[in-house]
Amino acid sequence: MRESNRIACEVLDLIEKQVKPGVTTIELDTLAEDHIRLCGAIPAFKGYRQGNSTPYPGSICASVNNEVVHGIPGERVLQEGDILSVDVGINKDGFFGDSARTYPVGKIDAETERLLKITREALFVGIAEARSGNYVHDISASIQEHVERAGYNVVRELVGHGIGRSLHEEPAVPNYGKRGTGMKLIDGLVLAIEPMVNIGTFRVKVAKDGWTILTADGRLSAHYEHSVIVRNGEAEILSKVA
Ligand code: MF3
Ligand code: CO
């Protein structure tokens, strides 16, 4: 899982260098898939099904502006001032990695910058709670408090998750909740913690393509995700380059 998550981080680092006005999201998807295959790994999202959905076509999710998550890579051209959330899942030898970041495209305005900052901070506030002896919803509550104190809202309908030999495992890790509830954290547990934060309403809807999740009010949304292991009593981020 260290390896698969390192690859996830490498992909996000590579993409970070290429995100600029004029680039299409399918170009970023190709870049990601090439790197993943070069590492002897499999893009975990490609062909993924949820319920009876069509198989997910991309190696990454590329979600622009009011798109929360699960945006399908395509011919959309990134524009100055956009924000782009990229999520990538990796299967390396049967072990999964999962990580996401939101990038500014060129120069973005101050409020949008603040959305990214608060969402990133919320992820790290949540990670700090991922210690053995704590409860899953300690992570959830800390994320919710950080976001709502800033005047933003956490998406309710999508959640973080356990990860290991499958992309999605128990327990669910919501970005809202009550401290002291949910599963008790133990050493060795690996969680994908992933706040999705909306400037406006927390409500979302599904686009006509059947995959892309949009904010209900059309306002901006950001997403950051790390896979972390609870070890020696505290959280260690796996989705990083050593
Ligand atoms: N990255 C999402 C998660 O963290 C899963 C995306 S599945 C896909 O849970 F099929 F949409 F890619
Ligand atoms: Co995830």
Side-chain angles (χ1 to χ4, degrees), residues 62-198:
S63 311
V64 182
N65 296 340
N66 60 314
E67 299 172 354
V68 180
V69 287
H70 303 173
I72 297 175
E75 297 304 327
R76 180 167 183 166
V77 179
L78 297 175
Q79 310 287 330
E80 179 98 23
D82 283 347
I83 53 172
L84 171 70
S85 298
V86 174
D87 193 343
V88 65
I90 307 289
N91 171 358
K92 171 72 174 160
D93 301 332
F95 292 93
F96 286 76
D98 192 2
S99 188
R101 294 179 203 164
T102 301
Y103 308 104
V105 181
K107 190 155 174 43
I108 59 174
D109 64 40
E111 178 67 359
T112 311
E113 193 80 67
R114 181 169 177 268
L115 171 69
L116 304 197
K117 176 170 171 283
I118 296 295
T119 310
R120 199 181 319 114
E121 285 172 0
L123 170 58
F124 284 96
V125 158
I127 289 172
E129 296 287 332
R131 299 187 302 265
S132 51
N134 271 10
Y135 293 85
V136 169
H137 297 171
D138 294 340
I139 300 170
S140 312
S142 68
I143 290 172
Q144 181 176 22
E145 281 162 19
H146 189 76
V147 168
E148 292 182 355
R149 218 179 349 243
Y152 299 145
N153 292 294
V154 290
V155 172
R156 313 293 204 257
E157 287 169 57
L158 298 127
V159 297
H161 48 95
I163 178 168
R165 288 197 177 262
S166 308
L167 179 61
H168 296 131
E169 297 184 352
E170 292 293 308
V173 185
N175 296 302
Y176 62 95
K178 188 167 138 41
R179 281 176 200 277
T181 69
M183 177 187 163
K184 197 167 190 169
L185 303 178
I186 52 167
D187 269 20
L189 183 65
V190 184
L191 300 173
I193 302 175
E194 49 178 320
M196 286 150 269
V197 175
N198 295 352

Side-chain angles (χ1 to χ4, degrees), residues 44-50 55-61 69-71 87-89 98-100 159-161 167-168 192 194 211 223 225:
F45 297 169
K46 201 162 209 153
Y48 187 88
R49 287 168 182 275
Q50 43 185 24
Y56 186 76
S59 292
I60 60 170
C61 298
V69 287
H70 303 173
D87 193 343
V88 65
D98 192 2
S99 188
V159 297
H161 48 95
L167 179 61
H168 296 131
E194 49 178 320
W211 274 104
H223 178 214
E225 175 177 26

